[in-house]
């Protein structure tokens, strides 16, 4: 049973004030893009993880293993993960694998869960897991757990600049809090950007490029100074919008069309690798 699952890019990531429980209220607009991991589930008497990338943990802390356990505690499965989504890259690769594992195990074990049931189980594993099941374009609010699909017309063309090594999401949030404390900046209560929602509904790439926003970007740049140069390089190459994806260090550039995306990708020099992708695409699905 093989499931293909997309990465996400955050079009808006607005981070509210730190709450008493240590979380932030977020407004998080996700778009699923055509960079995919694949998870294949087959029968086994124990939970077994195999992965083609050395940086992925193979034990019980692998998010795909946790997903299998959440679905049917104590049941065995062999999960073979083929990674294309960058690891710790701000594109929710681990959450994507968890979503794929939920769909694959549900089918392998004939559990017959609805997508809504899988999204609820996934939400307990991580706030990005439900979106990897839903796909498309959606806005998450609260801690990210309340998810609502958004209208997006047409296809947007992206370039992703992949960096060497990852950034830890909790560390980036911590740096965001530290910067706010040091500068005395009061975080605003987050709300969905009107210009961004309109640009999506109109399929207007130029307007979307201008509306992209990520409150974690200053923190990610503080932890990885080279991201500044990568973002500048993309803008100089004519990207309609440039931002750090989620907690980084992947940088996302919005291109005018597919040809522009290809030109941008081959011209970017200040990153390990640049890949093109388009969105929105559907969520985790059996292939
Ligand atoms: P997000 O965008 O959701 O903050 P990310 O894309 O920055 O996440 P992930 O690729 O999800 O980061 O990985 C974060 C950490 O999760 C990794 O450093 C790794 O140790 C752990 N992890 C657990 N399971 C997986 C998995 N299946 N694939 C990748 N990383 C995993």
């Amino acid at each position: 049973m093989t499931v293909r699952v997309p990465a996400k890019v955050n079009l808006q990531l607005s981070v509210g004030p730190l709450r008493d429980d240590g979380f932030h209220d977020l407004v998080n607009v996700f778009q699923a893009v055509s960079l995919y991991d694949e998870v294949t589930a087959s029968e086994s008497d124990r939970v077994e993880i195999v992965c083609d990338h050395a940086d992925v943990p193979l034990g019980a802390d692998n998010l795909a293993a946790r997903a299998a356990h959440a679905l049917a505690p104590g049941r065995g499965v062999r999960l073979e993960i083929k990674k294309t989504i960058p690891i710790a890259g701000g594109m929710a690769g681990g959450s994507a694998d968890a979503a794929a594992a939920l769909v694959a195990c549900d089918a392998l074990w004939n559990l017959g869960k609805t997508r809504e049931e899988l999204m609820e189980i996934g939400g307990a594993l991580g706030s990005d897991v439900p979106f990897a099941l839903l796909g498309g374009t959606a806005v998450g609010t609260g801690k990210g757990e309340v998810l609502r699909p958004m209208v997006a017309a047409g296809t947007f063309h992206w370039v992703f600049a992949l960096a060497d090594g990852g950034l830890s999401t909790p560390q980036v949030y911590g740096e965001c809090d530290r910067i706010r404390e040091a500068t005395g900046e009061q975080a605003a209560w987050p709300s969905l950007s009107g210009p961004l929602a309109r640009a999506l509904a109109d399929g207007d790439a130029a307007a979307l490029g201008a509306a992209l926003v990520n409150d974690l970007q200053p923190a990610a740049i503080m932890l990885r100074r080279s991201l500044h140069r990568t973002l500048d390089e993309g803008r100089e190459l004519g990207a309609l919008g440039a931002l750090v994806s989620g907690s980084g260090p992947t940088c996302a550039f919005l291109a005018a069309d597919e040809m522009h995306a290809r030109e941008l990708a081959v011209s970017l020099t200040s990153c390990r690798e640049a890949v093109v992708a388009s969105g929105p695409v559907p969520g985790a699905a059996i292939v």
Side-chain angles (χ1 to χ4, degrees), residues 6-10 30-33 85 90-92 128 131 160 245-247:
K8 59 86 182 165
V9 59
N10 301 81
F30 303 97
Q31 182 161 91
V33 295
I85 305 174
M91 299 191 78
D128 289 346
F131 177 70
F160 295 102
S245 176
S247 54

Side-chain angles (χ1 to χ4, degrees), residues 236-250:
E236 281 159 19
L237 289 166
L240 302 177
L243 88 173
V244 170
S245 176
S247 54
T250 304

Side-chain angles (χ1 to χ4, degrees), residues 8 10 30 37 39 49 51 53 55-66 81 83 85-98 126-129 166-170 173 216 245-250:
K8 59 86 182 165
N10 301 81
F30 303 97
D37 279 358
V39 175
I49 301 285
C51 184
H53 200 299
D55 293 346
V56 171
L58 301 178
D61 55 340
N62 188 294
L63 278 161
R66 289 182 50 207
I81 306 173
K83 295 292 302 179
I85 305 174
I87 292 157
M91 299 191 78
S95 302
D97 297 346
S127 55
D128 289 346
V129 180
L167 275 176
S168 141
T169 304
Y173 273 96
L216 290 180
S245 176
S247 54
T250 304

Side-chain angles (χ1 to χ4, degrees), residues 106-263:
D106 176 68
L108 182 73
W109 296 334
N110 277 317
L111 301 179
K113 300 260 188 230
T114 63
R115 201 41 76 127
E116 287 69 29
E117 286 172 323
L118 293 181
M119 283 172 70
E120 200 173 323
I121 296 167
L125 295 166
S127 55
D128 289 346
V129 180
F131 177 70
L133 290 161
L134 185 69
T137 307
V139 55
T141 49
K143 282 187 300 183
E145 74 277 20
V146 186
L147 204 54
R148 194 160 41 85
M150 287 179 73
V151 178
T155 296
F156 296 97
H157 297 277
W158 295 96
V159 177
F160 295 102
L162 312 186
D164 276 321
L167 275 176
S168 141
T169 304
Q171 208 185 335
V172 176
Y173 273 96
E175 182 64 15
C176 175
D177 293 336
R178 195 198 61 77
I179 294 171
R180 285 175 171 178
E181 211 176 298
T183 59
E185 180 202 328
Q186 290 295 318
W189 188 256
S191 62
L192 177 63
S193 156
L196 187 112
R198 267 193 302 282
L200 281 169
D202 293 346
D204 184 337
L208 182 63
L212 296 172
V213 56
N214 180 1
D215 284 354
L216 290 180
Q217 186 162 304
I221 291 174
M222 194 60 95
L223 295 171
R224 186 74 66 86
R225 303 293 172 123
S226 60
L227 297 183
H228 208 281
R229 198 162 91 72
T230 307
L231 291 171
D232 277 349
E233 193 189 7
R235 289 188 195 104
E236 281 159 19
L237 289 166
L240 302 177
L243 88 173
V244 170
S245 176
S247 54
T250 304
C251 290
F253 302 100
L254 186 60
D257 52 35
E258 196 178 344
M259 185 64 87
H260 182 212
R262 286 187 196 290
E263 283 167 11

